[in-house]
Amino acid sequence: MSFISEIKADIESIKRRDPAAKSGLEIVLTYSGVHAVIMHRVAHWFYEHDRVVIARIISQVSRFFTGIEIHPGAKIGKGLLIDHGSGVVIGETAEIGDYCLLYQGCTLGGTGKDQGKRHPTLGNNVMVGCGAKILGPFKVGDGAKIAANAVVLEEVPPNATAVGVPARIVRVNGVAPHPATDDIDQIHIPDPVAQELCRYRVALERLEKKVEKLEKER
């Protein structure tokens, strides 16, 4: 896919999924996420052609103006939507599939101990919520959702939801959504901790009833 085609796909993705977007011109002129992705695609071209210093300068200029830090070595697919974007960090060996959604403050980082491939790989149609951290060289499967402020330290299966610190996996039935009908809701997702507490409460109530029954029989 050509540079222009990638940018068009990014803009169309935002128009389709962001209810605040009114026109393509508005997106190009005012969306910091689009600016960061455009400058990254330029920086990545220089990086791929062994012009690392120029690539890093472009990425740092982009960070200064957008508040979004994307290492020029990162690989980004088409249709990426970075919503608001302030504080987003994407590491050197990170890979992002098509039609992904990143909210502000999220990090695709490393653990500090890996060599070579150090950062995560996101499949297609992945959503990463506000403040979420994905740390390590593992795969986040197609259609997965990372809840706000989750800290993900291991692989996430396709069509699953990761919630909590450290993140726990909640499997979601069904296939990954089509780009045109992406579900970008990062609030109404299952909470495995709450579900576990609910199970404990039910078990406790059963034990209390048994104890009461035994006391009455005495």
Side-chain angles (χ1 to χ4, degrees):
M1 178 176 286
S2 67
F3 177 80
I4 299 299
S5 297
E6 289 176 334
I7 299 303
K8 286 182 177 179
D10 296 336
I11 294 172
E12 287 301 318
S13 174
I14 294 173
K15 286 174 65 177
R16 183 169 55 243
R17 297 189 290 175
D18 186 355
K22 300 299 187 295
S23 68
L25 180 61
E26 177 198 11
I27 292 170
V28 171
L29 295 178
T30 65
Y31 275 57
S32 59
V34 171
H35 302 159
V37 171
I38 291 174
M39 295 184 74
H40 167 73
R41 297 199 189 282
V42 175
H44 185 70
W45 186 91
F46 282 104
Y47 187 88
E48 290 286 284
H49 290 80
D50 296 323
R51 301 293 190 269
V52 177
V53 175
I54 297 175
R56 291 304 303 270
I57 290 173
I58 293 172
S59 69
Q60 289 303 301
V61 170
S62 175
R63 177 189 180 188
F64 177 81
F65 284 105
T66 67
I68 299 169
E69 181 172 351
I70 308 176
H71 192 285
K75 298 178 181 179
I76 296 178
K78 64 182 179 181
L80 174 63
L81 168 54
I82 302 179
D83 194 18
H84 297 290
S86 297
V88 169
V89 178
I90 302 174
E92 178 183 14
T93 60
E95 299 178 39
I96 300 176
D98 296 338
Y99 298 103
C100 289
L101 170 61
L102 307 182
Y103 283 97
Q104 63 268 26
C106 69
T107 299
L108 307 184
T111 61
K113 62 180 181 181
D114 297 303
Q115 300 294 325
K117 173 66 172 169
R118 307 183 304 281
H119 304 95
T121 296
L122 306 188
N124 300 326
N125 301 290
V126 173
M127 187 208 76
V128 183
C130 302
K133 316 298 178 189
I134 307 177
L135 307 176
F138 51 82
K139 176 75 180 290
V140 177
D142 294 350
K145 293 182 180 181
I146 310 301
N149 293 316
V151 178
V152 183
L153 302 174
E154 58 186 15
E155 185 169 340
V156 178
N159 304 308
T161 299
V163 180
V165 181
R168 300 184 182 186
I169 303 301
V170 178
R171 292 189 177 275
V172 179
N173 295 325
V175 298
H178 187 275
T181 58
D182 278 341
D183 179 4
I184 64 174
D185 184 358
Q186 60 171 330
I187 303 299
H188 302 99
I189 51 181
D191 184 346
V193 176
Q195 292 174 344
E196 193 68 20
L197 289 174
C198 183
R199 281 193 288 267
Y200 282 129
R201 185 177 65 184
V202 171
L204 181 60
E205 289 175 353
R206 289 175 180 172
L207 289 173
E208 288 176 344
K209 289 180 180 179
K210 287 182 179 181
V211 171
E212 291 176 357
K213 182 179 180 180
L214 289 174
E215 289 179 348
K216 289 179 180 178
E217 292 175 351
R218 288 182 180 179

